[in-house]
Amino acid sequence: MFRLLHPLAASATYTRWLHLLMPMAGYSVWVFISPETPWVPALLAVPVGLVPGMRLAEGIQAQLLLAPEQRGRAHPTISAAKAATWPDRWRTVLWLETRIVLAIPVGFATVWLSATTVDIVLTSFGNGPSDESLLPAVEPHWWYAVLAPLPLLVLLSVVVISGRLATACARRLLGPSQVQRLTALEERTEQLLERNRIARELHDSIGHALTVAVVQAGAARAAHDPDFTERALAAIEETGRDALDDLERVLRVLRESGPPMGQRPTLVEADRLLDSARGSGAKIDADVSGPLEQVPGAISREGYRILQESLTNVLRHSGAVPVRVRIAVANRRLELEVTNPLTRTTVAPGGGSGLRGIRERASLLGGKAETGPHEGIWRVHVSLPLDGLRVAP
């Protein structure tokens, strides 16, 4: 019972009613002027609907009156924009015709069913129906007043059904075109990719800094050596400053519409990571060959993060162990490999969000990444094509 009465308490029912009655005002004026040509308003809707701005006006009306819950949404199902293509213009014309067709029965129902309720009430008091009433001539009885709500219930049913039908047609005819939906989908995809990239940035940068700080602090406490403790604190301070710089870059991406991609670290600054790992006790054997400065910016930036995550995993799961790092640029490819001895705490193959992030980065750049045990050691090997991604450096 309450489900049937719910539309009567919804504000959208009455805003849709108003929206359906608006064309009826102009249509009634025309029929009064020229009753023999009631089809003219439908004919005039064609040139009016072809005006690009009419789609904007109708879209705003439909959003406010037919689907008020869509106000403020990022991607509403009823768009409010000028017609950019001829298909959009013809869809606007069809919408205007549909609006007229729906307005006529709702307008007549509003007038005649409301008048019928008044006639029933008058008849119950002995005045009888008017000459233009839809009621037959009957003897007045007071209990007729009990029937007075029935025409109003019929009227509200017509309004609810017509309003829902008009809203469905508006979503179909005034909704985004296929091109607009594709554009919105691309924008949404870009937003998700950007959020994912920011999450990886925070994971790689802050995770690396915290790992170095924890390892250094633990080693300093166990060493009981003032000189070693001083060096550990200096390393923690330097790593913390670098992490703050990275965090500032990430936050700047959130504050600005255009992310400052060129300010992110690249493989040219790989020594910064290697020195940080050495300061944490790891024995780094680095072999860098090829012109790193000629690596495209996008690939070099992602390669830096891959190297950072690889070293972080070594320090986090294996501690201060010998690490071999090989970075090579040759044959239009970037080869990056980080190996270290297997320990009991080494991550299982395929485990961890960091390893998954490495594989995702490599895949997005058209390359491949292998992570896991290999011939008695733990290896991260990434191969990226230098011309596989056409992104501005």
Side-chain angles (χ1 to χ4, degrees):
M1 182 65 180
F2 292 103
R3 185 176 181 180
L4 295 176
L5 296 178
H6 177 71
L8 303 182
S11 60
T13 298
Y14 303 98
T15 58
R16 290 171 180 175
W17 193 358
L18 174 61
H19 186 270
L20 290 168
L21 288 178
M22 290 169 64
M24 193 61 187
Y27 183 81
S28 300
V29 171
W30 177 261
V31 171
F32 178 79
I33 295 174
S34 179
E36 66 278 1
T37 57
W39 44 267
V40 170
L43 184 62
L44 292 176
V46 176
V48 172
L50 294 177
V51 177
M54 183 55 62
R55 187 173 184 83
L56 172 61
E58 290 295 321
I60 293 175
Q61 286 187 50
Q63 282 186 355
L64 293 176
L65 300 178
L66 293 181
E69 74 281 357
Q70 294 196 15
R71 282 178 290 181
R73 285 189 179 181
H75 304 287
T77 57
I78 300 177
S79 61
K82 292 183 178 181
T85 62
W86 278 103
D88 284 345
R89 297 185 185 186
W90 286 112
R91 290 169 66 205
T92 307
V93 171
L94 185 56
W95 162 249
L96 293 178
E97 302 290 357
T98 302
R99 190 175 177 185
I100 292 174
V101 170
L102 292 175
I104 293 174
V106 173
F108 279 106
T110 301
V111 174
W112 291 108
L113 292 177
S114 300
T116 300
T117 297
V118 174
D119 284 336
I120 292 176
V121 174
L122 292 177
T123 301
S124 66
F125 285 100
N127 294 329
S130 61
D131 295 337
E132 298 180 355
S133 173
L134 298 178
L135 297 177
V138 294
E139 291 295 327
H141 292 284
W142 64 267
W143 52 267
Y144 285 169
V146 179
L147 303 176
L150 292 181
L152 295 180
L153 292 177
V154 174
L155 172 60
L156 290 175
S157 299
V158 172
V159 170
V160 170
I161 294 173
S162 301
R164 290 179 176 178
L165 183 58
T167 304
C169 292
R171 289 193 175 104
R172 182 71 176 176
L173 299 174
L174 295 179
S177 63
Q178 185 175 4
V179 174
Q180 291 172 328
R181 285 195 294 269
L182 288 175
T183 301
L185 180 61
E186 290 175 357
E187 292 177 354
R188 178 62 176 166
T189 302
E190 289 295 330
Q191 291 175 359
L192 292 176
L193 289 175
E194 184 64 17
R195 291 179 182 179
N196 191 34
R197 188 187 69 77
I198 291 174
R200 288 199 304 263
E201 289 286 323
L202 289 174
H203 175 273
D204 295 347
S205 178
I206 306 304
H208 173 79
L210 291 177
T211 298
V212 170
V214 170
V215 172
Q216 290 278 14
R221 185 176 62 178
H224 301 291
D225 184 349
D227 294 335
F228 182 85
T229 300
E230 184 177 355
R231 292 195 301 273
L233 291 175
I236 292 174
E237 180 182 9
E238 181 181 358
T239 303
R241 292 183 185 277
D242 292 340
L244 288 175
D245 292 339
D246 288 341
L247 180 60
E248 177 62 25
R249 279 191 286 266
V250 173
L251 294 179
R252 194 177 299 120
V253 171
L254 297 176
R255 289 194 296 263
E256 299 177 0
S257 57
M261 298 291 291
Q263 298 183 20
R264 291 168 54 199
T266 64
L267 280 175
V268 177
E269 305 171 64
D271 289 343
R272 165 182 164 185
L273 291 177
L274 300 177
D275 291 341
S276 177
R278 290 190 181 101
S280 299
K283 300 176 181 179
I284 305 295
D285 178 15
D287 179 13
V288 181
S289 62
L292 290 181
E293 65 279 358
Q294 296 181 12
V295 176
I299 297 176
S300 186
R301 287 188 290 266
E302 296 302 320
Y304 180 94
R305 291 307 185 193
I306 291 173
L307 175 61
Q308 184 179 53
E309 178 60 29
S310 301
L311 294 175
T312 300
N313 283 338
V314 173
L315 295 174
R316 181 181 298 157
H317 301 291
S318 299
V321 297
V323 181
R324 186 172 187 273
V325 176
R326 184 175 69 89
I327 305 174
V329 179
N331 300 323
R332 300 301 300 165
R333 297 191 73 86
L334 170 66
E335 303 288 339
L336 192 154
E337 186 177 74
V338 178
T339 59
N340 62 276
L342 284 172
T343 63
R344 292 182 179 181
T345 57
T346 302
V347 181
S353 60
L355 297 180
R356 184 171 60 252
I358 290 175
R359 291 190 290 269
E360 288 176 354
R361 289 179 187 273
S363 178
L364 287 174
L365 295 171
K368 59 181 180 179
E370 298 176 0
T371 60
H374 177 75
E375 298 181 355
I377 60 174
W378 180 268
R379 184 183 72 157
V380 174
H381 181 265
V382 178
S383 178
L384 304 175
L386 299 186
D387 53 357
L389 184 65
R390 301 187 183 278
V391 178

